[in-house]
C-alpha cells in the first residue's frame, strides 16, 4: 500500500518535473505553472505565437496558486494534523491508558478550534451532511463490521439486536418524551419545541458510540458477552439511529402527524433494516464470488473489497434504506470467504486499509468535534441541556435494567448486575451523534440549541464516563474472559467442547445455537465454500492455530535474531486494532498471525532474493521459495533441543518448542502443491513493512554475493560450523548480515552431538514418514518449476533433499515417545 | 441402576430434581426425548444412540456416546461403563451442562467448572487410568479433524504431539532430557485449560417448554 502510494508519488513527481522541463524547454511561459500533469495549464490564446512576445514578461521564477489546491490541501493538512495528534498520544503511553483517545482528540480539537477562533478563521466546511454520510461514515462502519468478532457475535446476536434496536427505540422515545415534557415548563423558555423535534433530537442523542469503552473493555479483557454486546450495539444502533433520524426529520417537517404515519413509519423501519441487510448479504456474496477469480490480478484484489462494500453502501443509500446495515452485513458476509480467496498480502492490505480509513475518519470526526465546539454558534439553555444530560443517563440505565430483565431468561448465561452496569455505563455518545446533530436541517429553528446540547452530552459522556469507566470496571471486577489464550490444547478443547455440545444437543433433542452453528457449518462447507472459494479445502481451526503458533514461534526467534523483521510487529499492531492504544500486545489475532506467517516466510526469503525479481508494471514480483525460514528454524530447533537449553530456558519460553520441528511437515503436507505455488506466486508482499524492499531495485550490485548465499546456507544445514559465512554476511549488508550471523553462531554453539542420540532412538519407526516428506517436497518443487521454469536458481536445487533429511530427525521428539 | 420413570408423577421427579438440579418441566422434556430415543424402553443402549441421524456427522460421536455410558460421569466414585443406561443416568450426564443461574456463587461456579473439565477429561481418558496418554490424545485429535477434509493422519498426529509437548512444557518445565512424560493427569489437564472460558462453551439452555412439535420426523427408533 505504502509503496504503491510512494511510487505513485514518485511517478507524479516525475511527471511534474518532466512537464516543467518541457514547458521550460519550449520557452513558453505558462501563465500559472501548475503542480501536476493532470490539468492542462490554461494556455494563452496567443500561445502559438508566443515566441516573439516571450521576452515581454520574464519567466516567473516563483508563483503560487493556492485556490487551485486549496481543498485537497486543506484536507490533507487536517488529516495530517489529526494523525500527528494520534502519534503524539502514544509517545507517552500512560496517557492513553487512563484517558481514552477520543478525549485527547477532542482536546486537541478544542485547542485548534480556539486558535482558529482567535484568528477568526472559518471552521472547515467539511462536515456537510453529504460529506459525512458518503465519505466519513462508510469507513468507520466498514472498520467495525469487518473486524467484528464473528463467533461471539452470532452467539449473542439475539441480545445484540435486542439492545441495538429496542434499546435505541427505548432511549429515543423515552428521552424525546421526557424532554417534550420539560419543554412545557415555561421557566426554561423552550416551549416552541414540538414533540417531533424533541424526538429527532432524542434520536441523535441516543446513538451510543462506545469506541472509547471498547478499548477499555479490551484492555481489561471483560467477558466476551459484555464486549460483543457493546460492540454490536454500537454498530447496529447506528443503523437504527440513522433510520430513526431520517424518519423523524421527515416527520419534523410535517405540520401534523397522523396515526397512519406512525404505522407506515414502523413498516418503513423494517423495510429499511431488512432491506439493508439483504443488500449487504447480496453484495457480500458477490464480492466473495468475484475474489474467486482474482488470482491473476493480485495487485487490484483489495480494491474489490472496498468497491463492493462501498457499492453496497451507495446502493442502499440510493434506495434510502439502511446503508450502515448494508455495509456491515456486506463486510461480515464476505470477510470469511474473501480472506480465504485473496493472497496473504491482499488480505493484509485489506485489513490495513480498512483500519486506516476507519481510524482516520474517526479521528477526524472527534477532532472536528473539538474544533466545532469552539467555533460554532451556541445557544446555551441551562434547563434544557441539563435535563438532556440527566435523561440521557437515566434512560440508558433504565433501558439496560429493563431490557436485561426481559432478555435474561432467553440467555444461556444471564447478565448479572455488574455486566448491566458495564452496559449502562458504557453508553458513551460519540461521532455519530455529533455528525447527525451538525447535519440537522436548517429548517429546525433551534438547531444551535440542539447542537450545543449534543456536544455537551458527548463531551460529558466521553470525558467523565470515558475516563472513569476503566477504574470502575476494574473496581467492580466484572467477569473476565481470557481472550488471548492460544495454546493448541485450548483450541483442541474448544473444538471438542463445540462438538460435544452439538452432540449433546442432538441427543436431548433441542436445538439452540450449537445446533444451528453445526447446521450452518455443514451448509457452508458443502455449498457456500464450493461456490465462493477457489480452493475450497476446509481448514480446521486447530490446524490453523497450529500454524499460527508455529509462526509466533518463528517470530520470536526472528525478533531475537534479526533486526530485519523488527518492522513486522509494527504492522500487525497497526491493523490489529486502533484500540491497542495502551500496551503493546504480546499476542495477535489469529488471522493476523496466519497472514504474518506467510508474509514472514516470504520476506525471509526475499532478503536474498530481492535482486532477482524484476517485474513489469502490472505484474508483481515472483518468489517461488519460502524455505529459508525453515532453515533458520532448524538451526534454532537444534539449539533448543539441546538438553541443556531445554532445561535452562524451559521456564516461560518452553512452550514454543513443540511447534517448531513439525513445522515443515505442516507446510509441505497441508498445502497441496498448487496451493504452495499459488501463495508463493503473489509476492505483492506487504512491502510496507520491510525496509529491505527498496534495495531490490536500488542495489543490484549485491546480486553476486547474494547468489552465493544459498550454497553457503546449505553448508550450515550439513552441520558444518560456518563462521565465515556470517562474517561475509555481516560485511555484505548490515541488518541482514547481523541477523544471520546470530543465527549461525547460535547454531554453531549448539553443534553438539547430544541430540543425535535422541533422534536415532525413534528414527526407525518413522522411515515411512520421512519418505513421505521427501515426496511431497519434490512434488512441490516440481509444481513450482512448472509455474516458474526460469526463476529457481540452481543453488536451490539441492535444498529440498537437504531439508527433508536434516529435518526428519528433528521431528522425533525424544522427550515423550508414545508407549508402544 | 436403570430406575424407570415412565410414570410421570411430580413426586417421583422430586428425587431427580434434587439430584440433578433440573426443573420438573425440563425433566419432563428430557424424559420424552429419552423415551423417543429408547423406543419406549426403560433403558438406552449404545445402538439407540448410534442410530441418531443428527449425530452421524459429529466427528466425536464415539466419545459423546461413550460419555453417557461412563460410570464416572454419574457423580459416583464408580468406574467402568454401563451396557445400558436408564433415565436417571441419562439425566445425570445431561446435568453437567446446566447453565449457572444468577444465584450461583463463585465457589459453586468453580465446582461446576471442575465438573465440566472432569467430563472432558473422561472423554479423553478412555481406559480409566487417570491419565491421558499420547495415544488417547492422538485418537481424539484425529477424530476431531476427521471431518474437516483433506487433513492427513500425519498432521493430526503432529498436532496431537505438539499439544502433548505443550502440556508437558507447561506442567513439567524442568524435565530432564531423558524423562518421559507419561500422560496428562487431571491436575495437568486443569492447568492447561486454566484460562479457558468454559462458561459460554459448556452450557446448554434446557428448554422448559415442550418442543416435540419441532422435532417431528427427526427422531429415530
Amino acid at each position: 500500500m505504502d509503496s504503491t502510494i510512494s511510487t505513485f508519488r514518485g511517478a507524479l513527481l516525475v511527471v511534474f518535473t518532466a512537464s516543467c522541463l518541457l514547458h521550460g524547454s519550449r520557452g513558453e511561459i505558462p501563465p500559472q505553472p501548475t503542480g501536476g500533469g493532470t490539468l492542462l495549464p490554461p494556455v494563452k490564446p496567443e500561445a502559438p505565437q508566443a515566441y516573439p512576445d516571450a521576452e515581454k514578461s520574464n519567466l516567473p521564477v516563483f508563483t503560487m496558486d493556492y485556490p487551485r489546491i486549496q481543498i485537497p490541501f486543506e484536507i490533507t493538512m487536517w488529516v495530517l494534523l489529526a494523525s500527528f495528534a494520534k502519534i503524539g498520544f502514544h509517545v507517552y503511553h500512560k496517557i492513553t491508558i487512563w484517558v481514552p483517545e477520543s478525549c485527547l482528540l477532542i482536546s486537541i480539537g478544542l485547542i485548534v478550534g480556539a486558535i482558529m477562533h482567535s484568528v477568526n478563521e472559518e471552521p472547515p466546511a467539511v462536515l456537510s451532511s453529504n460529506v459525512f454520510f458518503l465519505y466519513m461514515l462508510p469507513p468507520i462502519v466498514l472498520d467495525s463490521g469487518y473486524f467484528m468478532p464473528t463467533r461471539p457475535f452470532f452467539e449473542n446476536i439475539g441480545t445484540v439486536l435486542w439492545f441495538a434496536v429496542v434499546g435505541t427505540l427505548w432511549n429515543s422515545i423515552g428521552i424525546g418524551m421526557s424532554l417534550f415534557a420539560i419543554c412545557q415548563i415555561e421557566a426554561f423558555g423552550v416551549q416552541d419545541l414540538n414533540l417531533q423535534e424533541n424526538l429527532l433530537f432524542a434520536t441523535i442523542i441516543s446513538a451510543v458510540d462506545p469506541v472509547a469503552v471498547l478499548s477499555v473493555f479490551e484492555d481489561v479483557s471483560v467477558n466476551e458477552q459484555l464486549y460483543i454486546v457493546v460492540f454490536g450495539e454500537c454498530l447496529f444502533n447506528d443503523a437504527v439511529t440513522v433510520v430513526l433520524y431520517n424518519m423523524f426529520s421527515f416527520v419534523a417537517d410535517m405540520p401534523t402527524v397522523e396515526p397512519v404515519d406512525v404505522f407506515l413509519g414502523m413498516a418503513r423501519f423494517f423495510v429499511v433494516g431488512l432491506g439493508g441487510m439483504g443488500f449487504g448479504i447480496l453484495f457480500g456474496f458477490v464480492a466473495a464470488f468475484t475474489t474467486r477469480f482474482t488470482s491473476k490480478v493480485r495487485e487490484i484484489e483489495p480494491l474489490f473489497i472496498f468497491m463492493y462494500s462501498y457499492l453496497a453502501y451507495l446502493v442502499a443509500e440510493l434506495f434510502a434504506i439502511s446503508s450502515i446495515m448494508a455495509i456491515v452485513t456486506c463486510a461480515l458476509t464476505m470477510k470469511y470467504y474473501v480472506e480465504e480467496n485473496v493472497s496473504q498480502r491482499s488480505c493484509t492490505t485489506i485489513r490495513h486499509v480498512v483500519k486506516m480509513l476507519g481510524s482516520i475518519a474517526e479521528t477526524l470526526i472527534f477532532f472536528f468535534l473539538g474544533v466545532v465546539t469552539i467555533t460554532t454558534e451556541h445557544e446555551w439553555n441551562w434547563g434544557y441541556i441539563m435535563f438532556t444530560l440527566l435523561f440521557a443517563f437515566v434512560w440508558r440505565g433504565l433501558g439496560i435494567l429493563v431490557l436485561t430483565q426481559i432478555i435474561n431468561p432467553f440467555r444461556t448465561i444471564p447478565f448479572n448486575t455488574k455486566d448491566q452496569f458495564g452496559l449502562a455505563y458504557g453508553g458513551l455518545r460519540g461521532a455519530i451523534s455529533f455528525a447527525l446533530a451538525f447535519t440537522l436541517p436548517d429548517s429546525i429553528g433551534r438547531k444551535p440549541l440542539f447542537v450545543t446540547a449534543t456536544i455537551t452530552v458527548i463531551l460529558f459522556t466521553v470525558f467523565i464516563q470515558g475516563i472513569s469507566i476503566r477504574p470502575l470496571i476494574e473496581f467492580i471486577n466484572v467477569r473476565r474472559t481470557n481472550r488471548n489464550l492460544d495454546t493448541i490444547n485450548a483450541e483442541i478443547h474448544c473444538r471438542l467442547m463445540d462438538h460435544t455440545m452439538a452432540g449433546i444437543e442432538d441427543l436431548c433433542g433441542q436445538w439452540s445455537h450449537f445446533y444451528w452453528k453445526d447446521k450452518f457449518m455443514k451448509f457452508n462447507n458443502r455449498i457456500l465454500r464450493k461456490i465462493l472459494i477457489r480452493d475450497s479445502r476446509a481448514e480446521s481451526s486447530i490446524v490453523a492455530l497450529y500454524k499460527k503458533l508455529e509462526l509466533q514461534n518463528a517470530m520470536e526467534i526472528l525478533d531475537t535474531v534479526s533486526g530485519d523483521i523488527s518492522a513486522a510487529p509494527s504492522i500487525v499492531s497497526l491493523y490489529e486494532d486502533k484500540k491497542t492504544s495502551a500496551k503493546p500486545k504480546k499476542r495477535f489475532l489469529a488471522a493476523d498471525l496466519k497472514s504474518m506467517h506467510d508474509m514472514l516466510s516470504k520476506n525471509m526469503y526475499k532478503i536474498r532474493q530481492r535482486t532477482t525479481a524484476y517485474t513489469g508494471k502490472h505484474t508483481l514480483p515472483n518468489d517461488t521459495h519460502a524455505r529459508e525460514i525453515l532453515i533458520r528454524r532448524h538451526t534454532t530447533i537444534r539449539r533448543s533441543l539441546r538438553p541443556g537449553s531445554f532445561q535452562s530456558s524451559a521456564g516461560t519460553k518452553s512452550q514454543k518448542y513443540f511447534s517448531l520441528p513439525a513445522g515443515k511437515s505442516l507446510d509441505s503436507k497441508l498445502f497441496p502443491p498448487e496451493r504452495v505455488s499459488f501463495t508463493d506466486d503473489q509476492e505483492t508482499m506487504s512491502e510496507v513493512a520491510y525496509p529491505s524492499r527498496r534495495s531490490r531495485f536500488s542495489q543490484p550490485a549485491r546480486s553476486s554475493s547474494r547468489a552465493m548465499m544459498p550454497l553457503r546456507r546449505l553448508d550450515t544445514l550439513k552441520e558444518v560450523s560456518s563462521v565465515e559465512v556470517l562474517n561475509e554476511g555481516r560485511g555484505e549488508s548490515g541488518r541482514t548480515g547481523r541477523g544471520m550471523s546470530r543465527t549461525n553462531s547460535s547454531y554453531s554453539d549448539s553443534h553438539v552431538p547430544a541430540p543425535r542420540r535422541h533422534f536415532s532412538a525413534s528414527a526407525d519407526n518413522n522411515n515411512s514418514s520421512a519418505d513421505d516428506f521427501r515426496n511431497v517436497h519434490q512434488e512441490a518443487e516440481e509444481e513450482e518449476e512448472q509455474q516458474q521454469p526460469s526463476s529457481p536458481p540452481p543453488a536451490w536445487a539441492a535444498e529440498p533433499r537437504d531439508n527433508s533429511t536434516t529435518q526428519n530427525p528433528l521431528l522425533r521428539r525424544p522427550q515423550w515417545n508414545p508407549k508402544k | 441402576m436403570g430406575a424407570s420413570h415412565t410414570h410421570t408423577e411430580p413426586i417421583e421427579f422430586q428425587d431427580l430434581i434434587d439430584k440433578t438440579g433440573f426443573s420438573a418441566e425440563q425433566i419432563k422434556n428430557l424424559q420424552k426425548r429419552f423415551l423417543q430415543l429408547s423406543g419406549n424402553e426403560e433403558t438406552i443402549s449404545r445402538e439407540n444412540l448410534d442410530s441418531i441421524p443428527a449425530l452421524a456427522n459429529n466427528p466425536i460421536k464415539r466419545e459423546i456416546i461413550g460419555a453417557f455410558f461412563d460410570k464416572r460421569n454419574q457423580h459416583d466414585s464408580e468406574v467402568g461403563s454401563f451396557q445400558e443406561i436408564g433415565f436417571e443416568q441419562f439425566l445425570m450426564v445431561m446435568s453437567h451442562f446446566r447453565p449457572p443461574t444468577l444465584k450461583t456463587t463463585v465457589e459453586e461456579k468453580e465446582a461446576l467448572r471442575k465438573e465440566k473439565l472432569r467430563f472432558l477429561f473422561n472423554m479423553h481418558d478412555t481406559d480409566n487410568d487417570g491419565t491421558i496418554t499420547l495415544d488417547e490424545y492422538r485418537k481424539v485429535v484425529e477424530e476431531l479433524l476427521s471431518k474437516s477434509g483433506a487433513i492427513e493422519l500425519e498432521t493430526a498426529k503432529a498436532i496431537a504431539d505438539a499439544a502433548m509437548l505443550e502440556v508437558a512444557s507447561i506442567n513439567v518445565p524442568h524435565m530432564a532430557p531423558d524423562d518421559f512424560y507419561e500422560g496428562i493427569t487431571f491436575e495437568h489437564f486443569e492447568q492447561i485449560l486454566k484460562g479457558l472460558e468454559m462458561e459460554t462453551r459448556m452450557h446448554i439452555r434446557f428448554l422448559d417448554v415442550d418442543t416435540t412439535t419441532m422435532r417431528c420426523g427427526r427422531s429415530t427408533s
Side-chain angles (χ1 to χ4, degrees):
Chain A
M1 239 293 307
D2 213 19
S3 78
T4 52
I5 283 183
S6 66
T7 36
F8 180 61
R9 277 200 195 134
L12 261 189
L13 204 72
V14 171
V15 170
F16 173 72
T17 0
S19 65
C20 287
L21 282 177
L22 258 179
H23 288 307
S25 66
R26 267 199 279 158
E28 267 183 14
I29 304 142
Q32 291 167 328
T34 51
T38 47
L39 276 188
L40 280 177
V43 182
K44 285 178 193 165
E46 65 273 0
Q49 301 93 1
Y51 286 101
D53 348 321
E55 273 69 33
K56 283 186 181 171
S57 60
N58 290 322
L59 181 77
V61 176
F62 182 78
T63 57
M64 234 169 87
D65 182 15
Y66 184 63
R68 194 179 124 79
I69 57 150
Q70 183 181 11
I71 292 173
F73 182 78
E74 283 180 2
I75 291 175
T76 315
M77 290 316 281
W78 279 109
V79 172
L80 260 185
L81 188 57
S83 315
F84 280 139
K86 258 188 123 125
I87 299 177
F89 307 147
H90 290 278
V91 170
Y92 185 58
H93 269 306
K94 279 178 185 152
I95 292 186
T96 42
I97 293 182
W98 296 108
V99 184
E101 216 178 68
S102 38
C103 295
L104 294 174
L105 279 172
I106 293 177
S107 316
I108 303 272
L110 287 174
I111 296 169
V112 173
I115 296 170
M116 286 175 66
H117 191 64
S118 61
V119 297
N120 291 325
E121 181 76 26
E122 282 289 300
V126 173
L127 267 184
S128 72
S129 168
N130 266 343
V131 171
F132 177 72
F133 282 107
L134 294 185
Y135 306 116
M136 307 274 270
L137 193 53
I140 298 182
V141 195
L142 181 65
D143 179 27
S144 334
Y146 198 82
F147 289 95
M148 165 95 80
T150 322
R151 182 192 156 124
F153 172 70
F154 282 110
E155 276 174 9
N156 295 287
I157 189 163
T159 317
V160 166
L161 288 180
W162 174 255
F163 279 117
V165 177
V166 183
T168 312
L169 278 175
W170 166 285
N171 276 330
S172 316
I173 293 174
I175 298 175
M177 294 288 185
S178 354
L179 280 178
F180 182 59
I182 294 301
C183 288
Q184 305 313 308
I185 300 172
E186 281 184 29
F188 296 131
V190 280
Q191 285 100 325
D192 57 322
L193 290 174
N194 60 17
L195 181 60
Q196 288 98 308
E197 285 173 350
N198 270 318
L199 283 175
L200 179 59
F201 173 64
T203 313
I204 295 171
I205 283 301
S206 48
V208 173
D209 174 81
V211 179
V213 179
L214 282 181
S215 70
V216 173
F217 277 7
E218 208 157 80
D219 283 349
V220 187
S221 75
V222 298
N223 61 74
E224 224 171 32
Q225 289 78 39
L226 186 52
Y227 179 82
I228 197 66
V229 166
V230 172
F231 194 120
E233 190 192 352
C234 89
L235 255 193
F236 286 101
N237 82 11
D238 285 354
V240 178
T241 308
V242 172
V243 172
L244 279 182
Y245 173 83
N246 287 333
M247 233 164 69
F248 282 131
S249 61
F250 179 70
V251 170
D253 292 338
M254 291 201 299
T256 52
V257 182
E258 288 167 35
V260 183
D261 291 327
V262 178
F263 286 108
L264 284 181
M266 283 182 190
R268 177 160 174 72
F269 189 80
F270 284 104
V271 169
V272 163
L274 296 179
M277 232 180 243
F279 270 114
I281 293 175
L282 179 73
F283 277 99
F285 280 132
V286 173
F289 192 63
T290 312
T291 51
R292 202 187 157 167
F293 303 103
T294 51
S295 56
K296 297 288 177 236
V297 282
R298 290 287 179 213
E299 60 280 355
I300 55 167
E301 209 166 42
L303 205 59
F304 287 107
I305 290 22
F306 297 105
M307 292 302 113
Y308 274 117
S309 358
Y310 197 47
L311 203 60
Y313 188 87
L314 291 181
V315 171
E317 196 88 323
L318 170 72
F319 293 111
I321 54 182
S322 172
S323 39
I324 298 184
M325 216 63 158
I327 199 170
V328 167
T329 39
C330 181
L332 269 181
T333 320
M334 73 179 166
K335 179 183 178 186
Y336 173 80
Y337 304 104
V338 162
E339 295 205 338
E340 295 244 354
N341 269 337
V342 302
S343 66
Q344 292 299 338
R345 272 118 181 243
S346 306
C347 182
T348 314
T349 312
I350 292 167
R351 286 155 169 262
H352 219 135
V353 175
V354 167
K355 264 286 168 250
M356 188 185 77
L357 293 179
S359 58
I360 272 301
E362 212 166 72
T363 308
L364 273 184
I365 287 181
F366 277 116
F367 195 67
F368 283 138
L369 175 66
V371 174
V372 166
T373 306
I374 301 281
T375 52
T376 196
E377 280 175 48
H378 287 289
E379 182 188 340
W380 187 263
N381 181 318
W382 272 102
Y384 194 75
I385 289 171
M386 284 302 126
F387 272 105
T388 307
L389 264 182
L390 179 73
F391 288 139
F393 199 72
V394 168
W395 281 100
R396 169 88 187 168
L398 269 183
I400 295 294
L401 206 64
V402 173
L403 294 180
T404 14
Q405 294 316 311
I406 301 174
I407 198 79
N408 257 352
F410 297 98
R411 288 185 58 80
T412 315
I413 312 287
F415 283 120
N416 59 25
T417 331
K418 290 172 181 175
D419 294 336
Q420 289 175 35
F421 174 80
L423 277 174
Y425 205 73
L428 309 195
R429 271 54 167 188
I432 301 270
S433 299
F434 166 69
L436 286 177
F438 208 69
T439 57
L440 271 176
D442 289 326
S443 58
I444 290 170
R446 304 295 285 263
K447 185 181 168 187
L449 176 62
F450 286 157
V451 172
T452 310
T454 310
I455 290 180
T456 317
V457 172
I458 294 173
L459 290 184
F460 181 82
T461 52
V462 166
F463 276 87
I464 309 278
Q465 280 171 262
I467 294 176
S468 62
I469 191 159
R470 176 189 293 265
L472 278 174
I473 289 282
E474 273 171 1
F475 176 72
I476 63 173
N477 198 10
V478 173
R479 186 164 63 85
R480 318 269 171 109
T481 296
N482 188 356
R483 265 192 297 273
N484 303 324
L485 194 76
D486 34 51
T487 59
I488 288 231
N489 284 291
E491 183 65 29
I492 288 176
H493 286 95
C494 287
R495 290 270 294 210
L496 191 68
M497 286 191 267
D498 284 350
H499 286 303
T500 313
M501 289 298 94
I504 301 277
E505 277 186 357
D506 285 336
L507 271 177
C508 64
Q510 11 183 81
W511 295 291
S512 60
H513 68 254
F514 288 106
Y515 173 78
W516 290 113
K517 189 189 162 209
D518 219 41
K519 279 278 164 292
F520 175 74
M521 290 311 279
K522 250 171 241 163
F523 172 69
N524 183 34
N525 282 340
R526 282 200 195 133
I527 300 172
L528 288 181
R529 288 182 63 97
K530 292 232 165 72
I531 301 175
L532 298 176
I533 295 182
R534 182 180 21 208
D535 179 18
S536 62
R537 183 184 45 82
E539 186 178 62
S540 161
S541 61
I542 300 178
V543 179
L545 181 97
Y546 182 69
K547 287 193 202 157
K548 165 185 142 188
L549 286 176
E550 194 182 67
L551 159 71
Q552 218 168 41
N553 213 343
M555 284 281 301
E556 274 169 38
I557 296 166
L558 291 173
D559 267 350
T560 55
V561 154
S562 157
D564 221 0
I565 303 304
S566 58
S570 70
I571 5 158
V572 177
S573 60
L574 195 156
Y575 66 71
E576 189 208 354
D577 230 343
K578 57 184 180 261
K579 294 151 202 144
T580 48
S581 54
K583 47 190 176 196
K585 294 199 172 156
K586 272 275 180 283
R587 312 260 175 195
F588 307 111
L589 300 176
D592 295 349
L593 278 159
K594 213 173 136 196
S595 61
M596 279 158 52
H597 183 166
D598 290 31
M599 278 167 41
L600 264 180
S601 56
K602 280 161 205 154
N603 191 60
M604 286 301 295
Y605 185 70
K606 277 182 84 173
I607 293 171
R608 256 187 287 143
Q609 262 277 299
R610 55 177 93 112
T611 45
T612 65
Y614 276 106
T615 59
K617 185 180 169 197
H618 295 292
T619 52
L620 298 162
N622 251 316
D623 286 339
T624 32
H625 302 284
R627 290 199 201 90
E628 186 186 12
I629 191 163
L630 296 164
I631 306 173
R632 292 199 173 197
R633 214 181 277 164
H634 295 318
T635 59
T636 329
I637 297 155
R638 226 159 282 163
R639 180 182 55 188
S640 60
L641 278 182
R642 257 190 317 147
S645 74
F646 192 78
Q647 278 171 329
S648 62
S649 65
T652 50
K653 288 191 168 182
S654 58
Q655 79 177 57
K656 70 187 177 189
Y657 299 141
F658 68 88
S659 69
L660 286 170
K664 184 58 184 178
S665 81
L666 256 187
D667 270 356
S668 52
K669 291 184 79 87
L670 284 184
F671 288 102
E674 318 90 60
R675 178 94 174 179
V676 172
S677 47
F678 135 67
T679 36
D680 277 349
D681 162 302
Q682 26 178 339
E683 282 291 289
T684 341
M685 195 56 225
S686 51
E687 286 167 337
V688 204
Y690 300 99
S692 60
R693 75 186 190 276
R694 288 244 172 93
S695 48
R696 187 174 68 212
F697 300 108
S698 62
Q699 295 167 328
R702 279 187 193 168
S703 61
S704 59
S705 62
R706 299 232 158 249
M708 296 294 290
M709 289 300 289
L711 286 168
R712 297 293 193 157
R713 301 296 276 158
L714 291 182
D715 287 346
T716 68
L717 276 178
K718 286 169 194 149
E719 308 212 351
V720 177
S721 167
S722 54
V723 190
E724 328 82 36
V725 172
L726 40 120
N727 289 337
E728 207 180 283
R730 189 178 296 151
E732 164 188 289
S733 78
R735 276 134 79 85
T736 334
R738 219 176 306 134
M740 287 194 286
S741 70
R742 227 176 293 164
T743 333
N744 286 343
S745 57
S746 60
Y747 158 66
S748 48
D749 281 348
S750 70
H751 187 11
V752 178
R756 282 274 169 221
R757 195 180 55 225
H758 298 291
F759 301 148
S760 58
S762 56
D764 48 357
N765 52 14
N766 291 300
N767 277 340
S768 57
S769 59
D771 288 336
D772 264 354
F773 286 135
R774 209 164 300 145
N775 289 340
V776 171
H777 274 300
Q778 276 155 6
E779 261 173 48
E781 182 74 5
E782 277 160 24
E783 267 311 305
E784 282 164 11
E785 299 249 344
Q786 280 169 13
Q787 287 261 331
Q788 283 312 109
S790 57
S791 72
W796 282 92
E799 198 197 312
R801 234 166 298 130
D802 263 333
N803 255 349
S804 50
T805 45
T806 43
Q807 163 232 347
N808 275 323
L810 289 169
L811 269 173
R812 318 298 144 225
R813 245 156 279 116
Q815 278 76 19
W816 39 285
N817 286 331
K819 281 192 247 179
K820 294 264 159 132
Chain B
M1 300 299 150
S4 140
H5 297 274
T6 0
H7 309 291
T8 57
E9 260 89 70
I11 290 116
E12 215 171 329
F13 280 157
Q14 198 53 50
D15 182 34
L16 288 177
I17 292 175
D18 294 341
K19 258 188 178 166
T20 62
F22 283 120
S23 73
E25 288 80 17
Q26 287 169 336
I27 294 184
K28 228 179 266 177
N29 265 331
L30 286 173
Q31 191 181 26
K32 252 179 215 155
R33 178 65 177 169
F34 179 80
L35 292 176
Q36 226 172 10
L37 292 176
S38 65
N40 284 321
E41 297 295 319
E42 286 183 2
T43 55
I44 286 185
S45 63
R46 278 174 194 268
E47 288 72 38
N48 290 139
L49 297 186
D50 263 332
S51 53
I52 302 173
L55 265 185
N57 281 319
N58 202 314
I60 51 164
K61 182 181 170 188
R62 190 178 62 86
E63 276 81 7
I64 294 174
I65 294 176
F68 276 87
F69 295 91
D70 194 331
K71 283 185 182 168
R72 289 170 298 173
N73 291 335
Q74 299 295 330
H75 299 285
D76 302 330
S77 45
E78 291 178 64
V79 291
S81 65
F82 297 105
Q83 286 311 306
E84 297 196 317
I85 51 164
F87 183 55
E88 190 182 335
Q89 282 82 35
F90 185 73
L91 266 193
M92 286 304 259
V93 176
M94 286 292 182
S95 70
H96 282 91
F97 306 105
R98 259 183 324 110
T101 59
L102 284 175
K103 294 179 196 84
T104 325
T105 61
V106 181
E107 292 79 33
E108 280 172 330
K109 273 185 187 156
E110 210 38 57
L112 279 177
R113 185 188 156 85
K114 198 158 184 171
E115 209 174 82
K116 288 175 213 299
L117 280 176
R118 179 61 87 172
F119 187 90
L120 283 179
F121 184 80
N122 289 345
M123 279 175 79
H124 286 297
D125 182 21
T126 42
D127 60 358
N128 291 350
D129 65 350
T131 54
I132 305 173
T133 55
L134 181 63
D135 280 340
E136 284 168 342
Y137 207 175
R138 274 183 180 172
K139 205 173 279 172
V140 172
V141 172
E142 266 166 34
E143 277 177 23
L144 264 182
L145 295 174
S146 61
K147 297 282 173 186
S148 36
I151 288 166
E152 290 147 66
L153 281 185
E154 199 59 41
T155 314
K157 223 184 221 169
I159 290 176
D161 292 3
M164 200 71 173
L165 189 58
E166 188 184 73
V167 179
S169 65
I170 289 176
N171 289 299
V172 196
H174 302 290
M175 197 155 59
D178 297 328
D179 274 0
F180 172 76
Y181 190 70
E182 287 102 4
I184 310 168
T185 61
F186 185 63
E187 286 69 37
H188 290 179
F189 191 70
E190 269 188 306
Q191 193 64 33
I192 55 173
L193 296 182
K194 202 164 62 183
L196 189 64
E197 163 107 282
M198 303 277 287
E199 280 84 356
T200 47
R201 291 207 170 86
M202 287 291 273
H203 293 295
I204 292 178
R205 199 154 57 84
F206 290 98
L207 300 177
D208 285 338
V209 288
D210 190 1
T211 53
T212 326
T213 44
M214 280 169 53
R215 201 190 287 153
C216 50
R218 303 204 56 106
S219 57
T220 51
S221 59

